[in-house]
């Protein structure tokens, strides 16, 4: 960071333009994520949306938050925190995904999901569980 | 770059080291903030997995236009805060004050739009838990979506309010002409906090409004 700043002071050129470029990219990505969400891509919709959000977050972190100029330890703090976030969400969802159906809360649509029947069955299960208690 | 105008505390060998430590402290704090939000994102993931139908339908009941406008507002405020850091690093206090003023206005606009959205949801009865009385969506687990919606956007909103308070404090410093090439750490760290608020919204926007 020091070197870049000294270089900049010597040449007298600011890099404010860089922020505007990043901002424009963020707006383009926002438009992209909005437009792609209109298209029906099945389960790829959320994957694509998360990838775009990840790229946007990367741009903000690297340039607006100057992570690209930070020294080792500060970068590590951020990366480690992201690893823990992934661990938390990943394990929690894996836990749910590998449970048997009966352990899931009332209202959960039984396979295969049947749009009309879901609500009714949900209520039946709920009242059934209340009886058991 | 040792300077009399900004001495380091005694236990730091130099101002450079002191600033590095301050930045690291801020990054640690931001990491803890990320994990705080991650708890809610986990809840989102779990309930989305349990009630895929509800999630698919409920997200259509949110106002995408207001959500998108708010995204643009927040991204733009992040730009102006980044410019604020840029000007503060060069000791341009008046420019810093100007862009911070714009940032505060954008932050207030974000909260205003959010308030309008909340107003709609409250009027419809699309509320968490037992307060749920929305006729347009009657599925088991429907209130869970709005619990998650209000919790995530609510916690985010609290962060916007705190961020605005920080920006006001920085504006006051800029108004007093306190920033210089040597002294701009407060602006840098305050800016980091505001960008974190933006970062969280970048994920909330597609997850709540789009998919």
């Amino acid at each position: 960071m020091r070197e870049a700043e000294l270089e900049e002071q010597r040449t007298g050129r600011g890099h404010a333009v860089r922020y505007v470029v990043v901002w424009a990219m963020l707006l383009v990505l926002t438009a992209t994520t909005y437009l792609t969400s209109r298209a029906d891509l099945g389960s790829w919709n959320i994957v694509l949306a998360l990838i775009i959000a990840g790229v946007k977050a990367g741009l903000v972190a690297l340039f607006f938050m100057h992570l690209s100029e930070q020294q080792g330890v500060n970068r590590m703090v951020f990366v480690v925190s992201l690893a823990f976030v992934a661990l938390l969400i990943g394990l929690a969802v894996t836990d749910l995904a590998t449970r048997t159906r009966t352990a899931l809360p009332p209202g959960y649509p039984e396979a295969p999901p049947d749009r009309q029947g879901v609500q009714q069955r949900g209520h039946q299960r709920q009242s059934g569980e209340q009886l058991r208690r | 770059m040792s300077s009399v105008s900004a001495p380091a505390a005694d236990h730091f060998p130099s101002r450079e080291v002191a600033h590095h430590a301050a930045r690291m402290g801020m990054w640690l704090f931001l990491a803890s903030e990320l994990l705080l939000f991650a708890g809610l994102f986990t809840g989102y993931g779990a309930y989305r997995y349990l009630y895929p139908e509800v999630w698919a339908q409920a997200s259509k009941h949110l106002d995408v236009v207001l959500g998108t406008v708010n995204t643009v507002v927040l991204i733009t405020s992040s730009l102006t805060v980044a410019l604020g850091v840029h000007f503060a690093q060069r000791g341009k206090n008046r420019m810093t004050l100007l862009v911070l003023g714009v940032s505060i206005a954008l932050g207030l606009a974000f909260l205003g739009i959010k308030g309008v959205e909340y107003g709609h949801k409250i009027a419809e009865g699309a509320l968490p838990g037992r307060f749920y009385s929305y006729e347009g969506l009657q599925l088991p687990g429907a209130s869970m979506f709005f619990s998650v919606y209000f919790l995530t956007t609510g916690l985010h909103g609290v962060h916007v309010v705190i961020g605005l308070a920080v920006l006001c404090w920085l504006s006051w410093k800029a108004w007093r002409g306190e920033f210089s090439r040597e002294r701009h750490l407060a602006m840098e760290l305050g800016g980091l906090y505001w960008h974190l608020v933006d970062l969280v919204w970048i994920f909330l926007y597609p997850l709540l409004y789009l998919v």
Side-chain angles (χ1 to χ4, degrees), chain A residues 2 8-9 19 23 30 34 37 46 64-65 67 71 73-74 78 89 92 96-97 104 106 108 115 119, chain B residues 16 20 24 27 31 42 46 48-51 53 64 75-76 79 86 90 138 181 192 195 199 202 210:
Chain A
R2 289 285 136 228
E8 198 190 295
Q9 282 169 21
Y19 297 124
W23 172 72
T30 304
Y34 174 76
S37 77
I46 186 162
F64 282 177
M65 299 173 91
L67 199 64
Q71 286 147 325
V73 176
N74 290 358
F78 193 64
I89 297 175
L96 276 172
L104 293 169
Y108 182 79
R115 276 154 214 258
Q119 190 180 348
Chain B
E16 196 70 357
H20 182 67
M24 184 173 154
W27 277 106
T42 308
R48 187 194 167 100
Y49 180 80
L50 290 172
Y51 306 112
E53 285 289 297
V64 188
I75 285 176
T76 310
L79 167 73
H86 175 83
R90 282 149 192 81
Q138 289 288 334
R181 279 190 191 280
L192 281 180
H195 294 312
L199 218 58
I202 283 175
L210 298 182

Side-chain angles (χ1 to χ4, degrees), chain A residues 9-22:
Chain A
Q9 282 169 21
R10 242 196 337 269
T11 54
R13 272 187 289 123
H15 54 224
V17 180
R18 190 176 69 171
Y19 297 124
V20 179
V21 172
V22 171

Side-chain angles (χ1 to χ4, degrees), chain B residues 93-94 96-97 100 170-179:
Chain B
N93 282 287
R94 295 186 71 178
T96 309
L97 185 59
L100 280 178
L170 292 170
S171 303
W172 182 65
K173 283 174 96 73
W175 186 61
R176 287 167 47 111
E178 285 186 18
F179 297 122

Side-chain angles (χ1 to χ4, degrees), chain A residues 41 57 72 95 129:
Chain A
L41 308 172
D95 172 30
E129 272 181 26

Side-chain angles (χ1 to χ4, degrees), chain A residues 15-24 26-27 60 64, chain B residues 72-87 99-100 102-103 106 187 191 194-195 198:
Chain A
H15 54 224
V17 180
R18 190 176 69 171
Y19 297 124
V20 179
V21 172
V22 171
W23 172 72
L26 288 171
L27 289 187
V60 171
F64 282 177
Chain B
V72 174
V73 166
L74 214 54
I75 285 176
T76 310
S77 76
S78 234
L79 167 73
T80 52
V81 167
L83 288 174
V85 176
H86 175 83
F87 290 127
V99 288
L100 280 178
V102 176
S103 309
L106 288 168
M187 182 66 225
W194 189 259
H195 294 312
D198 187 28

